[in-house]
Amino acid sequence: MSRYVITITPDNDGAAGAATAHTTVRVDISSGQTRITELTVQAATGGGLAPADLPPSTWIC
C-alpha cells in the first residue's frame, strides 16, 4: 500500500451523528518520499470556519 487517507474528527463525547468539522489528509509514498497530495479542512454542516477556529500549523519534515 502506498497511498493513505487520514481523516481527523473531534471526539464529541459520544454525540453520535453530530455534524462536526473534519480534516482530510491524503498521503502518497509510492515514490519513496512522503508527499501530501491533499489537505482539506471542512466546516460542520451549515457552519463555517473563522481563521481563529484553525490551529496554527507547524510542519516538521
Side-chain angles (χ1 to χ4, degrees), residues 19-37:
T20 60
H22 67 272
T23 302
T24 302
V25 181
R26 292 185 187 271
V27 180
D28 183 345
I29 60 170
S30 62
S31 67
Q33 295 183 357
T34 303
R35 291 182 335 125
I36 296 173
T37 59

Side-chain angles (χ1 to χ4, degrees), residues 8-61:
I8 303 165
T9 58
D11 182 354
N12 290 334
D13 296 327
T20 60
H22 67 272
T23 302
T24 302
V25 181
R26 292 185 187 271
V27 180
D28 183 345
I29 60 170
S30 62
S31 67
Q33 295 183 357
T34 303
R35 291 182 335 125
I36 296 173
T37 59
E38 178 184 345
L39 174 60
T40 306
V41 178
Q42 185 170 356
T45 303
L49 294 170
D53 295 333
L54 302 173
S57 63
T58 304
W59 291 89
I60 300 172
C61 299

